[in-house]
Amino acid sequence: MEAPNRDNCQANQLANAAARGDLETVAGLLGSGADPNAINGFGRTPIQVMMMGSARMAELLLQRGADPNRPDPSTGATPAHDLAQEGFLDTLMILHHWGARFDQLDRWGHSPLDLARQNGQNHVVDYLQELSG
């Protein structure tokens, strides 16, 4: 078995720190040249696994070039799908500011708006309807 290369290790470190909401570690890794769109050992990028309630983490990753529209390889969901479903409006608004699309469908044909509706996230439903209205 081949030893993991530096890029794979760094991608895993970055994704793990993003998932923990560890802004200091993420900023340090990005500052030392880590790719904000690096794919970890599970096929996901830092913004896909970030601590959802951390608007500051989303902002940091997006400022450094993270792609808010990359779909999850297994579900087709984007970060906007996850945030809408769980009701994290502040983070969803940051994604919108940085160019996130809300018309992409997941593997089951659901948009972020559909998921917000299904999960009773009425404040998110109102926001997404305003954007599309």
Side-chain angles (χ1 to χ4, degrees):
M1 182 174 196
E2 155 181 349
N5 68 32
R6 181 182 176 277
D7 290 341
N8 287 346
C9 289
Q10 196 171 57
N12 286 330
Q13 288 176 333
L14 185 58
N16 290 340
R20 289 190 313 270
D22 184 346
L23 287 163
E24 186 176 327
T25 298
V26 169
L29 287 166
L30 292 171
S32 68
D35 179 358
N37 293 302
I39 297 171
N40 72 3
F42 297 99
R44 291 172 177 82
T45 65
I47 200 161
Q48 291 171 323
V49 299
M50 72 178 175
M51 181 181 283
M52 270 199 265
S54 180
R56 290 177 61 207
M57 180 63 70
E59 185 81 32
L60 174 60
L61 290 167
L62 291 161
Q63 285 173 346
R64 300 296 180 92
D67 179 0
N69 297 309
R70 182 175 293 181
D72 181 283
S74 62
T75 66
T78 64
H81 285 86
D82 297 331
L83 294 166
Q85 178 174 321
E86 299 300 324
F88 289 107
L89 181 57
D90 55 344
T91 311
L92 198 63
M93 292 169 80
I94 289 170
L95 261 66
H96 177 250
H97 174 79
W98 288 91
R101 293 179 47 202
F102 300 123
D103 60 346
Q104 291 178 268
L105 304 179
D106 66 15
R107 185 160 286 169
W108 300 274
H110 299 121
S111 69
L113 177 59
D114 296 331
L115 295 175
R117 271 195 192 111
Q118 289 172 9
N119 289 279
Q121 305 295 350
N122 296 330
H123 59 300
V124 174
V125 170
D126 293 344
Y127 174 73
L128 292 174
Q129 285 179 328
E130 280 181 36
L131 290 179
S132 64

